[in-house]
Amino acid sequence: MKFLNSLTRWAAAAGLALGLATAVAPPTAAYAQTSVKIAMDSTLDTLDPHDSTANAVASASSGMMERLIGFDKDMKLVPMLAESWEANDDATEFTFHLRHGVVFHDETPFNAEAVKVNIDRLADQSNNLKRNSMMSIVKSTDVIDEYTVKITLSEPFGAMLATLAHPSIVMHSPKSLEEYGKDVGKHPVGTGPFKFKKWVPGEYLTVEKFDHYWKPDYPKVDEVTFYTVKEAATSLSMLLSDEVQFIYNLSGELVQTIENTDGYEVQEVPGITVWTASMNLLHKEFQDPRVREAFNLAIDKDAFVQVVYSGHAQVPDSPLASKTAFYSAQTPYPTDLEKARELMKEAGYEDGFEIEAWARNTSTETRMLQFLQQQLSQINVKVKIFPLEAATRTEKVFGNIAPEDQEFGILIGGWSPSTGDADWHLRPVYSTEGWIPKIYNMSFYSNEKVDADIAKGLSSADDEVRGEAYADAQKQIWADMPVVWLAVDNKMAGQRSDLTGIYPMPDGTMAYAEAAYQ
């Protein structure tokens, strides 16, 4: 495969160049192990997770601000500020029993009233916060007593617990919300092990130890600083010179260099972001299931993983990633070029057709477009690729454009359900209500059976009922093939080997609350 070989050679050359950086001295014990410096590849635009959709904001805020429920490393629900909870059978009432003795960084108490203030802020759609929609079905938040709060919904919503564990549903100090108002994103006050110290937008954020944190013996370090470093080679250089001790969102081409350098290591975990090539089902070619199957058979997903992610990804075997709650494995589509050509011929497209393929103009997504262009040429499909600036892509995909007027034939995208729950993947990406620009159904896929299964999964708090509904939905979606399932990328970080308690999460965020040196 000429295209694959050329990209493989390019990746090898890049790796060799980066490999020259391995001739560095390992970190010394003389380094003052009281602070941690982290390089991340994104810029912080706010410190209010209620008003952000960025993983970087959720990550940097996670050490300062906590939720009622959290996730462990495997995206399983764990108690955080709520010690326990229960729900009624029809998933409309959720009662939380809160942790005692917790205080905010401004020394005000964390209690049921504080929870009410935060949930009501998110439920009030007039606030126009970017995360308002996540609490739009909250009917009321009631203080039962100082440490008990009940959230009542306007309709059944079985995914409520997972939604409350989303990294954006944090607890602000009510005092800070009242004092700073719309500027609270510049003055975050939470209950976490670290409190806000200084933020220079576009450059760095520093948080410092909070002496009255509720969890015994934490935090373990005095200070954590996040630097915005968008160039992968620069972040590597900073790590190996000990300017930073952790790289968040490590590029695959840096892995070998770090692993081959004494005193440093790579963390790698399976992610929950599923990357797809959505086929526009409003275009007549894709209304034929034989064409959709041909696309799924013609594209070599194993080669895609190697070319795009240097092997640091998995080929999907379901619409959901395996770390997502209620995941159900399906039978993967093999690479079968001969059958793909036969299907195209049967559908009347032996000579192929022309389509546009859109993605963002990042190096990774551009490589995706190039790969699809080469692969689909084997079944005579002529793909004109459009690597778009992020703002342009947003305008063209999520602007006020009627679905029938969308020009793309294929649209590259990745979706991570940051609630860790099947609902927040299946509903936005595959339900009729999720058609872009409303949410993220970029193929304009619509199946009444799938919509009914998704609704059934939300109608109950019973995991067995939900699991059966979501399993049926995944099976039907997989059979309908509205997209080509390309990859589930691993989440990676590079770090000093003696650093613990900081790790990448499957949803693309990172956790640092328990940062420590061995």
Side-chain angles (χ1 to χ4, degrees), residues 273-515:
T273 304
V274 181
W275 285 89
T276 62
S278 294
M279 294 173 275
N280 187 335
L281 302 190
L282 299 183
H283 288 195
K284 67 179 177 113
E285 298 91 346
F286 293 122
Q287 290 172 7
D288 192 322
R290 292 170 295 188
V291 173
R292 303 199 299 273
E293 183 176 3
F295 272 49
N296 271 282
L297 296 177
I299 296 171
D300 186 337
K301 273 77 75 177
D302 289 313
F304 180 91
V305 164
Q306 293 300 321
V307 168
V308 176
Y309 292 107
S310 303
H312 298 283
Q314 289 83 43
V315 175
D317 63 356
S318 168
L320 302 179
S322 62
K323 291 285 186 180
T324 304
F326 306 112
Y327 151 85
S328 179
Q330 310 299 312
T331 301
Y333 291 99
T335 303
D336 191 334
L337 197 54
E338 183 177 346
K339 185 175 180 182
R341 288 169 176 158
E342 290 176 1
L343 288 166
M344 291 291 283
K345 183 177 181 179
E346 290 175 13
Y349 296 109
E350 183 177 10
D351 296 329
F353 49 83
E354 294 185 5
I355 58 171
E356 294 185 6
W358 298 359
R360 282 165 289 224
N361 64 347
T362 64
S363 59
T364 297
E365 293 191 34
T366 300
R367 205 177 307 174
M368 291 180 181
L369 287 174
Q370 294 168 342
F371 184 85
L372 294 182
Q373 183 183 53
Q374 184 277 331
Q375 294 276 287
L376 292 172
S377 69
Q378 299 174 108
I379 56 173
N380 297 320
V381 175
K382 300 172 184 65
V383 181
K384 187 174 182 181
I385 63 174
F386 290 84
L388 305 171
E389 292 284 347
T392 301
R393 177 186 180 273
T394 298
E395 180 182 354
K396 290 174 74 70
V397 174
F398 297 101
N400 190 24
I401 300 173
E404 60 271 16
D405 293 332
Q406 284 287 7
E407 297 177 358
F408 67 84
I410 287 179
L411 186 57
I412 295 289
W415 182 269
S416 171
S418 293
T419 63
D421 189 90
D423 168 71
W424 196 236
H425 196 138
L426 298 179
R427 187 158 50 92
V429 180
Y430 298 107
S431 73
T432 305
E433 71 170 289
W435 280 23
I436 56 172
K438 185 175 181 181
I439 318 184
Y440 211 74
N441 184 340
M442 301 189 300
S443 62
F444 305 111
Y445 171 66
S446 179
N447 184 301
E448 291 182 358
K449 183 179 184 302
V450 170
D451 288 344
D453 283 332
I454 292 172
K456 183 178 179 181
L458 277 183
S459 69
S460 175
D462 187 320
D463 283 350
E464 185 174 346
V465 172
R466 301 189 72 218
E468 290 178 359
Y470 293 136
D472 285 346
Q474 289 168 76
K475 182 178 180 180
Q476 186 64 55
I477 294 165
W478 195 256
D480 288 342
M481 298 169 292
V483 306
V484 179
W485 290 278
L486 298 171
V488 180
D489 60 314
N490 295 345
K491 306 306 180 184
M492 298 184 291
Q495 65 169 72
R496 272 179 43 168
S497 299
D498 61 346
L499 186 63
T500 65
I502 309 182
Y503 47 87
M505 292 290 291
D507 66 352
T509 63
M510 61 160 285
Y512 68 96
E514 298 183 352

Side-chain angles (χ1 to χ4, degrees), residues 118-130:
N118 280 274
I119 298 300
D120 286 353
R121 180 181 191 239
L122 283 162
D124 184 351
Q125 303 302 297
S126 69
N127 286 327
N128 294 316
L129 301 170
K130 291 180 180 177

Side-chain angles (χ1 to χ4, degrees), residues 20-28 237 239-242 261-264 496:
L20 298 176
T22 60
V24 299
T28 65
S237 176
L239 178 68
L240 299 184
S241 63
D242 216 31
T261 305
D262 290 341
Y264 296 91
R496 272 179 43 168

Side-chain angles (χ1 to χ4, degrees), residues 95-115:
T95 302
F96 299 89
H97 306 281
L98 308 179
R99 194 175 298 279
H100 293 216
V102 177
V103 295
F104 288 99
H105 301 153
D106 57 11
E107 303 298 335
T108 59
F110 168 75
N111 52 27
E113 184 59 39
V115 174

